Amino acid sequence: MMNKIYEYKANGEVPEGESLPPGLRRIALGVEYCGSRLRGFQKQSHDPLTVQETLEKALSNVAAEPVTLVCAGRTDAGVHATGQVIHFDTSATRPTRAWIQGVNTQMPFDVRVHWAQEVPAQFHARFSARSRTYRYLIHSAATRSAQAATEVTWSERELDLDAMRAGAQHLIGEHDFSSFRAAQCQARSPVRRLSKLDIGRVGQLIVLEVSATAFLHHMVRNIAGVLMAVGRGDRAPEWVADVLAARDRAAAGVTAPPHGLYLVNVQYPDEFVLPEWPPGPLLVPLPLDAIANSGR
């Protein structure tokens, strides 16, 4: 059987042993954004207020040529990121500072590039990723905060963290997460492996930190909604196992708001040697894996 002939596609996967066409280079960026006023990451024909369109416009201006990009994970309207990773192919030769400071001067205040690096042709922001980590922030207090109204989710009722942790244990590992996927989810399979789901308290915030190779549409928000119901005492921790076993979105029906959700880290093979950046957000200045032991 003959090997398939490689044909270059902009920003596409490049097999081992192949290279980009002469004159092209692949650049990766680390991106942060506040999603409060944005319509999500993915570019939309009817709405320019997306992260992708904002970035592509700025990158095209700096590169002096049209630029398209690929991201590690598309986020919904209202969702934030401190550790989004994107890549693009370009014939432009620019110093690193141009891909950072130059691009940032072209963008609104709520989208920022923190690092830039030329990467091998085999790097792909989406397909090279080994895991993604999200944090979901909940302000549990009698009164909503005026300073973080669109950066965290508010719960008027006190949440029982021990109950939430007990419920979360049912979700760790590989499962069919049909009960936690949105109706419009286009993933071929509902099976995902959750490698971590930690819950801690940081100041006045309750933080859920969850990692997996990949997530279903609305999966983290649906997990947060279910665990908040447990934390309020509306449901017992064992209910989480029942929801999971049902493999039916109607079994839970609880989706937490988007503005508490942050994509904070994407991990890649060490061979790519990408810059490290604090997971954030600034409201939660803790490294990864520190949430589990916080606020106990």
Side-chain angles (χ1 to χ4, degrees):
M1 182 176 179
M2 297 181 60
N3 292 330
K4 184 177 180 180
I5 298 175
Y6 166 64
E7 294 184 7
Y8 169 75
K9 293 183 180 179
N11 306 321
E13 290 184 276
V14 179
E16 289 292 337
E18 301 289 352
S19 59
L20 297 173
L24 285 184
R25 55 191 50 82
R26 181 160 290 187
I27 308 295
L29 304 180
V31 181
E32 175 188 16
Y33 48 88
C34 176
S36 301
R37 74 176 188 95
L38 300 170
R39 308 293 193 263
F41 188 92
Q42 188 174 16
K43 184 161 56 177
Q44 302 173 27
S45 60
H46 63 283
D47 195 333
L49 283 177
T50 65
V51 181
Q52 183 176 5
E53 180 142 338
T54 299
L55 280 166
E56 288 184 350
K57 182 177 179 181
L59 288 166
S60 297
N61 287 340
V62 171
E65 66 180 17
V67 171
T68 60
L69 60 84
V70 173
C71 71
R74 293 178 294 187
T75 52
D76 293 331
V79 175
H80 318 292
T82 59
Q84 177 71 271
V85 178
I86 67 112
H87 84 260
F88 61 94
D89 296 342
T90 181
S91 62
T93 301
R94 300 288 185 271
T96 299
R97 67 176 181 274
W99 298 125
I100 304 175
Q101 290 96 326
V103 170
N104 284 338
T105 61
Q106 301 280 330
M107 294 192 298
F109 68 93
D110 45 7
V111 184
R112 280 292 174 269
V113 173
H114 285 298
W115 58 260
Q117 180 173 304
E118 186 168 348
V119 289
Q122 282 65 45
F123 176 84
H124 192 283
R126 178 185 176 190
F127 297 121
S128 298
R130 293 294 177 261
S131 72
R132 296 160 176 85
T133 299
Y134 286 85
R135 284 177 172 174
Y136 194 89
L137 277 55
I138 306 162
H139 182 214
S140 179
T143 305
R144 182 192 297 270
S145 169
Q147 297 180 356
T150 59
E151 283 75 44
V152 302
T153 290
W154 174 56
S155 174
E156 183 178 9
R157 294 163 59 184
E158 185 66 28
L159 300 180
D160 183 338
L161 267 65
D162 287 336
M164 294 173 69
R165 291 181 181 119
Q169 290 304 307
H170 297 291
L171 301 176
I172 301 297
E174 185 173 279
H175 304 285
D176 182 327
F177 280 95
S178 293
S179 295
F180 294 88
R181 69 189 300 188
Q184 63 269 38
C185 181
Q186 298 179 352
R188 295 180 182 177
S189 170
V191 176
R192 293 292 185 270
R193 175 176 291 278
L194 219 62
S195 58
K196 177 176 65 175
L197 177 47
D198 294 332
I199 303 171
R201 189 183 295 274
V202 182
Q204 294 185 328
L205 297 174
I206 294 171
V207 182
L208 282 63
E209 185 173 283
V210 53
S211 297
T213 303
F215 291 88
L216 302 168
H217 192 195
H218 285 179
M219 180 173 164
V220 180
R221 290 171 57 191
N222 292 335
I223 288 174
V226 165
L227 293 181
M228 288 173 68
V230 172
R232 290 191 299 266
D234 297 336
R235 298 282 189 168
E238 294 75 23
W239 174 65
V240 179
D242 295 337
V243 171
L244 184 67
R247 301 182 181 181
D248 182 355
R249 181 71 194 108
V254 185
T255 302
H259 45 264
L261 184 59
Y262 293 76
L263 172 60
V264 299
N265 183 260
V266 185
Q267 291 191 332
Y268 294 93
D270 293 339
E271 64 194 74
F272 294 122
V273 197
L274 297 181
E276 294 186 4
W277 190 258
L282 292 176
L283 295 167
V284 186
L286 290 180
L288 294 175
D289 300 320
I291 297 299
N293 297 315
S294 62
R296 287 185 180 272

